Amino acid sequence: MAQNWHQVDVDRNLAALERAAGLEDLQAVIVDLCEAYRINHMVYHWVNSQGDQYGCGTYSPAWVARYIEKEYLRVDPVILGCNQRFHPVDWKRLDWSSKAARLFRSEAIEYGVGNQGFSIPMRGPNGQYALFTASHSCSDDEWQVFKNQHRRPLILLAHFFNQKALEFEPERVPEASRTLSPREVDAMTFLAMGYNRAKAADTMEISEHTLRVYIESARFKLGAVNTTHAVARAMSRGLIVV
Amino acid sequence: MAQNWHQVDVDRNLAALERAAGLEDLQAVIVDLCEAYRINHMVYHWVNSQGDQYGCGTYSPAWVARYIEKEYLRVDPVILGCNQRFHPVDWKRLDWSSKAARLFRSEAIEYGVGNQGFSIPMRGPNGQYALFTASHSCSDDEWQVFKNQHRRPLILLAHFFNQKALEFEPERVPEASRTLSPREVDAMTFLAMGYNRAKAADTMEISEHTLRVYIESARFKLGAVNTTHAVARAMSRGLIVV
DNA sequence: AAACAACTCCCCAGAAATAGCGAGGCCGCT
DNA sequence: AGCGGCCTCGCTATTTCTGGGGAGTTGTTT
C-alpha cells in the first residue's frame, strides 16, 4: 500500500487559524498548512451567487487570474458539484462528462493544480457559500490514504476558515433592529410562505384589515418600502424562519 | 476553577456515527454521546424551510411534543439566533430579551432542558438548516471548561450528524430547482431590495414587460405562488444575497 | 395612574401585481 | 439543423396590495 502521510499537529494549526486577524493571516496559515500536510495546494474559496469571489490559497496567481477572467466559476465541476452536496467530495467523483469540464481540468493541471483534489463545501447564513480544497499530484492510492488520514481535521479547518472569512466580512455586521411582535412575525412568515393577505388573515384568524396593520408596522420597523422588501429583511435578519 | 470534564474517545464516536444506517442508529449514537460526555442532553434538530422539523436527541418526549405543538420553532432564540450565524453559539449569548423568549426558556428548563447550551448550526444545499446542540445543567464556569475542551469534536459531530441526516432523508432537501438565470437572479435581488417593478426594470435597463417575464419564470422555477414567495424561496435557498 | 406597546376592527381610492394571450432573436449543445 | 434556454418586447382584464385616514381593548411598565 501507499506511503503513510506526515503526522500533523492539528491543534497547532487550528490555534494559528483562530488567532488570524485578516485575510493575510489566513494566507500565511494556508501556506503553513500545505507544508505541514506535504501537499501541493490548499485553497479557501468564497463564492457568492452574484458571481463575486475571493479567497486565499496556493494556486498560482496566473491560474487565479485565468479562472476569474474566463468565469470558470460557471464551469468548474467542483463548484457546481459541491453546490448540491453537503459532504466533502473527491474530485474524481464529480461530473467531468461535459467537454467544457474536461477542458477546464486539463487546463487547471497545466497551471499546476493537482490531479487529485478533495473539496469541502461550507455554508453560512444568507446563502453564503465557500469551498475549502486540498489538492495534490499523486496516485489514487496515495490520495486515498491521505484522505483517510486527514479528512476530519480538514473539515475542522474548513469550518474555521469559513468562520474567519465571515468575521472579516464588513457587511456581515448584525444590524440591530427592533424585534417584531409575535403577530408581526406570524404575518411575515405567512407572507414568506406565499399566502396572500386573505389566506394569511384567515390562517391567523383575524380580519384582513388587522393583518394589514401588522404588515405595515413590521414594514415600518424593518425600514422596508414594501411587503416583499419587509419579508426579505425579516429573513436576512433571521427574524423569521421559512 | 471548575472540574475537568471526562476524556472522550472522539474517534470511536465518529466511527459509530459513520456506521449509522438510519435515524434509529443516530438516536443510539446520541444517547451514547451524552453518557460519554457526561452531559444531560444532546440533540440534532433539522429545521425545514416549510416549518417541518425532526431530529433525534435526548430531550423528553413531552418537551418535544410541546415544542412542536406550540410552534416554538418561531420563538426559540436558539433557532432564530443561529439563523444569522455561522459559528457555534453559547445560549447565553443569544437574545433572550423578549418576553416570549424568557417564557420559553423557563418552560424548557421545567421540562428538563439544561440551563446551559451550545448549539452548532449546519447548512446543506438549497437552504437546508439544522442544529446540533449540547445542553447541561451546571454553572457558567463549568460550562466554559466543557466548551473549551470539546468544542472541536462537537463541530465534527455536528457535521457528521448532518451528513447522515441528509443521506437518510434526501426527499426532505428542497428539490434543486434549476438554478435561476443571471437576469432572474438580478430581478429577484432587486425585488428583495424593495424595488418595485418599474424601478427594477429601469435599473436593469429593460422594459417592465421583460422584467415580468423574469419574475414569472423565476417564480415558476422556484415553485412559488407569488413574488414575495419567490423572493423568500430564492433567499432561503441561497440563490440571492441581500 | 399614566404611558406605551400590542392586538383587534373599519372605509376608500389609487397603485401595483397577476393571469392570460402573443412575438422574435441569440446562443450553445447534439 | 433543430432543440431548448435565455433575453427582449407587446396587449388586456382582473385581482390584490398600498397608503391615507380612524377607534377601542388589553396588558405591561414606569
Side-chain angles (χ1 to χ4, degrees), chain B residues 63-206:
Chain B
W63 173 237
V64 173
R66 184 156 181 86
Y67 192 100
I68 292 167
E69 186 222 326
K70 291 282 182 183
E71 295 194 54
Y72 280 152
L73 197 60
R74 313 216 173 277
V75 177
D76 188 347
V78 180
I79 300 284
L80 296 171
C82 284
N83 212 2
Q84 297 145 293
R85 293 166 210 254
F86 172 77
H87 56 278
V89 66
D90 191 296
W91 289 359
K92 279 194 294 294
R93 304 188 58 183
L94 295 169
D95 176 19
W96 298 95
S97 60
S98 86
K99 196 187 157 194
R102 284 193 303 272
L103 271 173
F104 167 79
R105 182 179 144 87
S106 60
E107 202 181 318
I109 289 173
E110 272 175 44
Y111 275 88
V113 177
N115 64 330
Q116 304 287 350
F118 183 64
S119 291
I120 303 167
M122 284 281 138
R123 293 178 178 85
N126 303 314
Q128 183 256 347
Y129 172 47
L131 287 178
F132 183 71
T133 292
S135 172
H136 194 60
S137 282
C138 64
S139 71
D140 287 4
D141 284 350
E142 281 175 289
W143 191 241
Q144 188 60 47
V145 174
F146 174 83
K147 282 190 301 174
N148 285 343
Q149 196 171 333
H150 295 307
R151 190 165 44 102
R152 289 170 191 170
L154 285 175
I155 292 171
L156 279 177
L157 284 168
H159 182 95
F160 285 108
F161 264 98
N162 202 46
Q163 181 167 324
K164 281 292 172 183
L166 281 161
E167 276 175 34
F168 299 156
E169 304 282 319
E171 73 279 5
R172 282 186 191 259
V173 184
E175 80 265 27
S177 45
R178 278 169 312 173
T179 50
L180 299 180
S181 77
R183 293 302 254 176
E184 287 161 354
V185 171
D186 291 345
M188 290 293 105
T189 302
F190 289 129
L191 292 175
M193 288 164 59
Y195 289 16
N196 60 21
R197 300 202 298 199
K199 184 167 178 191
D202 200 49
T203 308
M204 289 170 67
E205 295 185 308
I206 55 177

Side-chain angles (χ1 to χ4, degrees), chain A residues 196-197 212 219 225 227:
Chain A
N196 61 21
R197 300 200 300 200
R212 274 177 47 193
R219 211 176 41 133
V225 301
T227 302

